[in-house]
């Protein structure tokens, strides 16, 4: 009521911003989401993990298309960041389950998805990083990347020494 009165009368523009901030904080109060105090933090990190996971899968698809070391590095680093945020959401889900309280079935489903996602995301990270440990799992270094003109030399099929930029 007081906020509406101040908005109608135009009392203090600076106060209006402070009241809008207070109203937003009260709107996002954890008890309004059900569950317990960890619920709002869990939902924020679950959404962040979902968005980073989708972007990580897009980078992995780009790596499958390009199949070079530079695309592997980009996909691998993004998958590692995505897994770290997912692991944080997993910890918050475990904390929320441990704290107890009344949680609806939708919130329990999101918790279950995050728990399963954390382990599948870890497998995805290990699969992308397997090329670092063995050349049989990884890609080759494309020597003519960024150089003008076509070359007929394939570093994987060529015998002898490792290719250099001067060849």
């Amino acid at each position: 009521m007081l906020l509406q009165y101040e908005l109608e009368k135009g009392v203090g523009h600076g106060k209006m911003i402070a009241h809008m901030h207070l109203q937003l904080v009260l709107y996002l109060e954890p008890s309004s989401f059900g569950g317990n105090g960890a619920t709002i933090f869990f939902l924020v990190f679950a959404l962040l993990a979902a968005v980073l996971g989708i972007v990580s899968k897009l980078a992995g698809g780009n790596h499958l298309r390009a199949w070079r070391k530079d695309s592997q590095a980009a996909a691998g680093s993004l998958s590692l960041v995505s897994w770290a945020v997912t692991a944080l959401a997993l910890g918050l889900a475990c904390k929320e389950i441990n704290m107890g309280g009344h949680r609806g079935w939708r919130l329990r489903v999101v918790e279950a998805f995050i728990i399963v996602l954390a382990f599948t995301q870890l497998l995805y990270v290990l699969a992308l990083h397997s090329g670092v440990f063995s050349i049989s799992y990884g890609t080759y270094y494309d020597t003519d990347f960024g150089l003008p003109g076509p070359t007929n030399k394939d570093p994987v099929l060529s015998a002898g020494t490792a290719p250099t930029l001067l060849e």
Side-chain angles (χ1 to χ4, degrees):
M1 276 311 248
L2 181 63
L3 180 61
Q4 185 177 1
Y5 173 76
E6 287 185 3
L7 286 176
E8 289 173 359
K9 298 296 180 188
V11 178
H13 182 65
K15 284 185 179 181
M16 185 179 78
I17 293 174
H19 284 296
M20 288 173 60
H21 184 270
L22 180 64
Q23 189 178 22
L24 178 67
V25 168
L26 290 176
Y27 178 71
L28 294 177
E29 185 181 357
S31 64
S32 65
F33 284 98
N36 49 40
T39 303
I40 184 68
F41 301 108
F42 166 69
L43 290 176
V44 167
F45 281 103
L47 285 173
L48 185 62
V51 170
L52 283 175
I54 290 170
V55 172
S56 173
K57 301 312 182 276
L58 291 175
N62 183 38
H63 170 59
L64 282 177
R65 185 183 58 81
W67 202 256
R68 290 194 315 254
K69 286 284 188 188
D70 54 345
S71 65
Q72 182 185 16
S77 61
L78 190 56
S79 71
L80 196 60
V81 169
S82 174
W83 179 73
V85 174
T86 306
L88 184 59
L90 170 72
L92 286 168
C94 293
K95 178 68 175 177
E96 188 176 32
I97 292 169
N98 189 27
M99 285 176 68
H102 176 69
R103 299 181 330 269
W105 66 271
R106 290 180 187 95
L107 192 56
R108 285 183 281 174
V109 167
V110 173
E111 290 168 355
F113 276 137
I114 288 295
I115 291 170
V116 170
L117 179 69
F119 294 109
T120 57
Q121 184 77 19
L122 179 62
L123 292 176
Y124 176 68
V125 168
L126 292 176
L128 276 175
H129 283 84
S130 63
V132 174
F133 301 115
S134 174
I135 192 65
S136 62
Y137 298 121
T139 59
Y140 62 89
Y141 181 70
D142 196 1
T143 58
D144 57 353
F145 175 68
L147 297 176
T151 59
N152 294 329
K153 187 172 182 180
D154 188 4
V156 173
L157 300 177
S158 64
T161 63
T164 64
L165 290 175
L166 300 176
E167 290 182 320

